[in-house]
Amino acid sequence: GEDVEQSLFLSVREGDSSVINCTYTDSSSTYLYWYKQEPGAGLQLLTYIFSNMDMKQDQRLTVLLNKKDKHLSLRIADTQTGDSAIYFCAEIRYNNAGNMLTFGGGTRLMVKP
Amino acid sequence: DTGVSQNPRHKITKRGQNVTFRCDPISEHNRLYWYRQTLGQGPEFLTYFQNEAQLEKSRLLSDRFSAERPKGSFSTLEIQRTEQGDSAMYLCASSFGGNPTDTQYFGPGTRLTVL
């Protein structure tokens, strides 16, 4: 299985809040990221959180980090149809050569009007 | 320069042919990464450059794959003797190594289909 895990699918109604969850494995990761991918497109960086933080808010986005449980979540307030996409969490892993991102399998968010 | 660009956006080839993809990073970024994404999966790391030096290669990168970044700016990824299992989206990302977050910004990807 993947080192970073996410649920596959989430469906919400327009205007509701969405919560996308992620568990990761590398306790030494210093930054954790959320990316958005629309059909046929590359990855768009949404937000990131430093590992010594519990929460970060950025407009409609709230990231919560539970380092003890290695659990990360992304809350989208007032979800819109334009938020329909696949959301990936990623952890950064360092080695002597540099950094690499390890991604979860993605959560497909469907927003119903 | 508004972001990472990749060419071509789509490539269809026959099994056994060679293909080459190009990535132009954000101009001030010294780090460049290649990832591969198969259908329904998250991206997987392939290789990484700091300036012109290739510093890390995943074991996913078989000897049919080669990547270069000759002048520390654009990069190419070549796949020789393509196989159907090479069909995927190839994503390029860049980052500025002097930034503590080292945030990676992705291009639109090149979708490869091997027939």
Side-chain angles (χ1 to χ4, degrees):
Chain A
E2 291 172 325
D3 294 339
V4 180
E5 296 189 349
Q6 302 178 236
S7 51
L8 286 177
F9 188 75
L10 176 65
S11 178
V12 300
R13 293 218 171 267
E14 191 173 20
D16 288 349
S17 292
S18 308
V19 179
I20 302 171
N21 294 302
C22 171
T23 56
Y24 62 98
T25 57
D26 190 348
S27 58
S28 65
S29 294
T30 55
Y31 288 94
L32 296 136
Y33 300 84
W34 284 102
Y35 286 86
K36 175 184 179 183
Q37 187 175 38
E38 297 186 66
L43 276 70
Q44 174 194 351
L45 175 69
L46 287 178
T47 188
Y48 61 87
I49 188 167
F50 187 49
S51 60
N52 69 352
M53 298 170 66
D54 297 323
M55 184 181 85
K56 179 180 179 182
Q57 188 150 2
D58 185 358
Q59 299 182 347
R60 292 191 297 124
L61 305 178
T62 303
V63 179
L64 296 178
L65 175 61
N66 181 330
K67 201 172 179 183
K68 174 177 169 289
D69 294 337
K70 297 191 182 71
H71 183 265
L72 182 72
S73 68
L74 174 70
R75 178 178 179 269
I76 305 173
D78 187 25
T79 314
Q80 303 297 306
T81 54
D83 295 325
S84 293
I86 301 175
Y87 291 80
F88 293 95
C89 66
E91 60 177 346
I92 197 158
R93 295 186 179 174
Y94 300 94
N95 58 34
N96 290 334
N99 312 325
M100 56 176 273
L101 287 172
T102 299
F103 287 86
T107 300
R108 182 178 294 276
L109 174 65
M110 178 180 289
V111 182
K112 298 178 182 176
Chain B
D1 187 341
T2 57
V4 179
S5 61
Q6 292 186 246
N7 288 289
R9 294 292 308 278
H10 303 273
K11 178 71 177 178
I12 300 174
T13 191
K14 292 182 179 177
R15 191 177 54 182
Q17 297 294 305
N18 299 344
V19 294
T20 301
F21 311 140
R22 176 178 169 126
C23 171
D24 288 88
I26 294 171
S27 57
E28 64 268 25
H29 285 183
N30 59 347
R31 294 181 173 179
L32 187 146
Y33 311 78
W34 286 98
Y35 291 81
R36 182 174 72 184
Q37 185 180 23
T38 52
L39 205 60
Q41 304 295 318
E44 295 174 292
F45 171 79
L46 291 179
T47 191
Y48 154 69
F49 289 86
Q50 176 143 322
N51 300 311
E52 65 275 7
Q54 188 174 17
L55 297 184
E56 184 77 6
K57 289 196 285 187
S58 161
R59 58 180 178 272
L60 292 175
L61 212 68
S62 76
D63 55 8
R64 294 185 298 105
F65 288 68
S66 62
E68 294 183 341
R69 194 182 184 198
K71 296 181 181 177
S73 56
F74 73 91
S75 175
T76 57
L77 177 68
E78 181 183 16
I79 310 174
Q80 296 183 324
R81 305 181 304 282
T82 52
E83 301 173 357
Q84 287 183 326
D86 297 331
S87 295
M89 174 83 92
Y90 290 84
L91 293 163
C92 175
S94 70
S95 71
F96 177 56
N99 185 333
T101 65
D102 202 21
T103 303
Q104 295 179 29
Y105 295 90
F106 283 79
T110 294
R111 182 169 295 283
L112 173 66
T113 302
V114 182
L115 302 175

